[in-house]
Amino acid sequence: MTTAPSAPQAASPAGETRPRRFPPVVLVPPGHSARIIDALLAMLLVYRLSVPGVPLPIPQLAAITLVAIGLFRAPTRSFSAASWYPVVAIALLGFLAVETLINDIDPLRRGLNIASLMLFAAFLATGRIDVGSVIKGLGVGLVLNAALFYLRLTPDDYQGRLTGFLQDKNAAALVYAVGAVLLAMVARKVLWRMLILAAGVAAVVATDSRTTMAAYAVAVVFLLLSGRMHRAVELLALTIGVFVFLWADDNLSKLGDYAVSREGSDAFRLRIDAASSLKAQGAPWYGDGLGTATVHLDSGTWFFHNSYEGLIVEGGIVLLVVMLAIYLVTGLGLSTRVEIDALSFQSRAITAATAIVCMCALRLGEVFFAPIGFLVIGIGLARLLGPVPPQPNAGIGG
């Protein structure tokens, strides 16, 4: 009985073998036909509501359902070219469970939520969940959310600012910004890409989230200008864009009506940020445990507004370094086994979407462990994987 090698090998001039480099991955091929079930469930990623009696909101339930369905599908891509992800994911979950128990906190609910999102990203990467279908379903969900919002058929918790079923204006802005960039990646014609990105501008501005407006502007400029740049120049331009984002995010709060209309809310936000920073500075290297990224002010409990500090508090410097490394490797397409066409629109869109997540995380809480964040990880990870190795022929003497 013959067996196949774990990964394709290529002979060197000296007769030695080395892992073969796989050609660039096309995540959404021309003429792509969406899987209806994947698209319908992806639409639910937009609806941040809870089902009565169920401890998880609808987006997490949708991700778990997609994973459950993916268990019965054959993968089209293999982790042989990026075997680090399963190892890192399992090790990180184990670390988080242990350090949370050490802090005398039950890690089950939060840990299962993170585990389901890690599986969601892994199944996207391997093709058990179809990338193109999820992106298209997310786009339809965002369009329906906006339409129903302006028809006054959804919640309006921010006095006319676009939220709808996403409930929070900052969360809504993040999903619209990332969704627009990913939808542009699916589009084949330049005109459609420009129209989608323009619609993203309108949606993000309608949410009135200053942070996401600045982040989306940097991402769109990067997409428009980086196509003909050398990779090193492209990354330098993105770095400069991040510094521009930091300046814009700080100064937008001092322009026009913002300086007056948000004086009270911004002052309270500063108090939350100050308390969050103190808690992060006092956390041990292994963190205070899952679910502890909150502060108590004025007889209320408030979530952090900085996801980086949230990582430090929940899992210490370990969680911060590991999560940033995952986003960096998948977002920039760092691979030694798969050829990455860094100048393709697909690659630049994945980088831009990752940049939006990382920039918004400076001012928004619960970004890195949000479904939209792991959607970006899964899509970025997908282009790092090679095809599934051919199965060995059954039989004797083959």
Side-chain angles (χ1 to χ4, degrees):
M1 182 179 296
T2 60
T3 59
S6 59
Q9 303 286 315
S12 68
E16 300 175 351
T17 59
R18 56 181 173 78
R20 178 168 64 86
R21 284 177 64 85
F22 299 108
V25 175
V26 178
L27 299 179
V28 186
H32 173 268
S33 180
R35 284 177 173 171
I36 299 301
I37 187 64
D38 290 20
L40 289 175
L41 286 169
M43 290 172 58
L44 298 179
L45 296 175
V46 173
Y47 301 96
R48 294 178 71 244
L49 304 176
S50 297
V51 178
V54 179
L56 294 175
I58 289 176
Q60 276 83 347
L61 291 176
I64 291 171
T65 305
L66 281 167
V67 168
I69 293 172
L71 289 171
F72 299 95
R73 295 172 176 168
T76 59
R77 294 179 289 270
S78 170
F79 271 114
S80 61
S83 57
W84 58 267
Y85 180 79
V87 174
V88 169
I90 293 171
L92 182 61
L93 285 171
F95 166 77
L96 291 174
V98 170
E99 63 95 7
T100 302
L101 287 170
I102 289 174
N103 283 292
D104 199 25
I105 300 172
D106 182 3
L108 186 61
R109 177 175 172 177
R110 178 75 166 157
L112 287 176
N113 182 33
I114 295 173
S116 67
L117 290 173
M118 287 180 168
L119 277 174
F120 174 60
F123 277 30
L124 274 167
T126 59
R128 290 179 182 268
I129 301 172
D130 184 57
V131 169
S133 301
V134 169
I135 293 175
K136 292 175 181 179
L138 176 66
V140 173
L142 290 172
V143 171
L144 285 176
N145 181 67
L148 293 174
F149 176 78
Y150 288 111
L151 289 173
R152 299 184 179 181
L153 298 176
T154 69
D156 181 4
D157 300 323
Y158 283 84
Q159 300 177 341
R161 300 181 181 95
L162 176 57
T163 51
F165 292 116
L166 286 162
Q167 295 185 304
D168 180 84
K169 73 183 184 70
N170 293 315
L174 174 64
V175 177
Y176 271 103
V178 171
V181 170
L182 295 179
L183 277 170
M185 183 185 82
V186 172
R188 292 291 160 187
K189 295 184 178 180
V190 174
L191 176 61
W192 278 109
R193 291 174 181 171
M194 295 302 102
L195 290 175
I196 291 170
L197 292 175
V201 171
V204 172
V205 170
T207 66
D208 201 34
S209 171
R210 294 166 293 178
T211 294
T212 314
M213 281 190 272
Y216 187 68
V218 170
V220 170
V221 171
F222 169 77
L223 278 175
L224 296 178
L225 299 182
S226 62
R228 299 183 182 278
M229 294 180 183
H230 186 274
R231 181 63 167 168
V233 178
E234 178 184 291
L235 295 179
L236 176 61
L238 184 60
T239 302
I240 294 172
V242 171
F243 283 103
V244 172
F245 158 78
L246 294 173
W247 176 88
D249 181 58
D250 180 61
N251 285 273
L252 276 175
S253 63
K254 304 170 185 176
L255 297 177
D257 294 336
Y258 286 121
V260 178
S261 62
R262 296 189 179 180
E263 183 177 357
S265 61
D266 282 350
F268 186 66
R269 184 186 181 100
L270 288 174
R271 291 179 58 202
I272 295 176
D273 290 345
S276 301
S277 296
L278 286 175
K279 189 169 184 178
Q281 292 169 17
W285 66 268
Y286 52 84
D288 291 329
L290 291 174
T292 58
T294 59
V295 293
H296 302 283
L297 287 176
D298 297 348
S299 302
T301 300
W302 306 91
F303 291 101
F304 281 25
H305 289 146
N306 186 312
S307 291
Y308 294 93
E309 292 179 343
L311 292 178
I312 293 173
V313 168
E314 288 199 90
I317 193 67
V318 175
L319 182 58
L320 176 67
V321 170
V322 171
M323 287 306 299
L324 288 184
I326 291 174
Y327 274 97
L328 179 66
V329 171
T330 58
L332 297 180
L334 305 180
S335 175
T336 60
R337 294 290 309 282
V338 176
E339 296 176 12
I340 303 298
D341 183 3
L343 296 182
S344 71
F345 190 83
Q346 170 188 281
S347 285
R348 291 184 289 123
I350 293 171
T351 299
T354 305
I356 291 173
V357 171
C358 292
M359 285 187 283
C360 288
L362 286 166
R363 298 289 184 265
L364 307 179
E366 191 61 7
V367 170
F368 292 122
F369 286 135
I372 194 67
F374 273 89
L375 172 61
V376 173
I377 287 177
I379 295 173
L381 188 60
R383 65 173 168 162
L384 303 183
L385 305 190
V388 172
Q391 296 298 313
N393 293 325
I396 299 176

